[in-house]
Amino acid sequence: MKEEIKSALRKLLYLKLQYAGRASNLFWLGFGELISVTRKEETKTVAEYALNIQCSWRISKGEKILVASRDFYSPFSGWDEDNGDFDWDVQGNNRFDERIKPFLESVQGNIIVESIESDDVGGLKIFLTEGFVLEVFPDSSEDVEYSEFWRFFNRKDGSPHFVVAGNGIDKV
């Protein structure tokens, strides 16, 4: 698994991190050149390569975690009980939303993938310029096909998605 992951993600080497965000608790990142894609009669500008993560992850620099997967479930720093019930899934409500924006603004599109490491259980480390590291670590023992940890795909060529799940690697 380790070598297969490194081989698939080798395409990211020396590419720029264009953006990052979330849809519910799915963390998505875009790398490489910006391209136009049309789906369902709508044209969007997106990064050529996408990495979608649905397991634990973190972005760190040195000894500091800047933003991580559990931040989805914590309220932003200005939230208090007078704001009502905390709903983590509302955009702008959680710590991830609060922390990812300044991170992206601080790097201003100048972060490049320098190297990639993987492990035998689907984990991944992406080393970025300026000392940033994205670590992805599957955190479930589920081994069924629907236990997806992360996926990597190219939006430009429409090739199969490289999917790492509890039961191994799949290309869909």
Side-chain angles (χ1 to χ4, degrees):
M1 181 181 277
K2 182 178 187 176
E3 292 307 315
E4 197 173 352
I5 290 171
K6 283 177 72 173
S7 177
L9 271 70
R10 187 173 325 191
K11 297 170 186 163
L12 288 178
L13 289 174
Y14 314 114
L15 296 183
K16 182 188 295 190
L17 170 64
Q18 295 286 0
Y19 51 74
R22 72 176 179 97
S24 192
N25 64 353
L26 180 142
F27 179 41
W28 44 260
L29 302 102
F31 296 91
E33 68 179 89
L34 294 176
I35 60 170
S36 292
V37 295
T38 303
R39 291 202 178 93
K40 299 180 182 177
E41 300 179 21
E42 183 180 346
T43 301
K44 291 183 177 181
T45 300
V46 296
E48 180 177 0
Y49 291 97
L51 179 61
N52 291 354
I53 304 168
Q54 293 182 277
C55 64
S56 293
W57 59 269
R58 68 178 168 229
I59 296 175
S60 61
K61 183 174 182 174
E63 297 176 357
K64 174 110 174 104
I65 296 173
L66 304 174
V67 62
S69 51
R70 283 196 30 202
D71 290 340
F72 290 143
Y73 309 108
S74 297
F76 66 95
S77 60
W79 183 86
D80 64 37
E81 293 175 7
D82 293 337
N83 293 345
D85 292 334
F86 169 63
D87 185 351
W88 69 269
D89 204 13
V90 172
Q91 289 287 332
N93 253 16
N94 65 43
R95 185 177 299 145
F96 169 86
D97 298 329
E98 179 180 34
R99 297 186 70 99
I100 197 69
K101 187 176 178 181
F103 165 71
L104 294 170
E105 288 171 354
S106 74
V107 298
Q108 297 177 0
N110 295 316
I111 295 297
I112 307 294
V113 176
E114 291 186 326
S115 65
I116 297 168
E117 292 179 3
S118 60
D119 63 32
D120 292 324
V121 293
L124 180 64
K125 276 188 181 182
I126 299 178
F127 295 89
L128 305 164
T129 52
E130 297 187 29
F132 295 105
V133 181
L134 167 63
E135 294 177 85
V136 178
F137 34 100
D139 57 354
S140 171
S141 61
E142 271 190 85
D143 59 1
V144 296
E145 65 182 295
Y146 304 109
S147 61
E148 181 174 319
F149 300 134
W150 57 269
R151 74 174 49 212
F152 173 68
F153 55 99
N154 182 319
R155 289 188 171 108
K156 189 174 186 178
D157 70 9
S159 57
H161 292 199
F162 182 88
V163 180
V164 175
N167 65 343
I169 294 171
D170 199 3
K171 294 174 182 154
V172 296

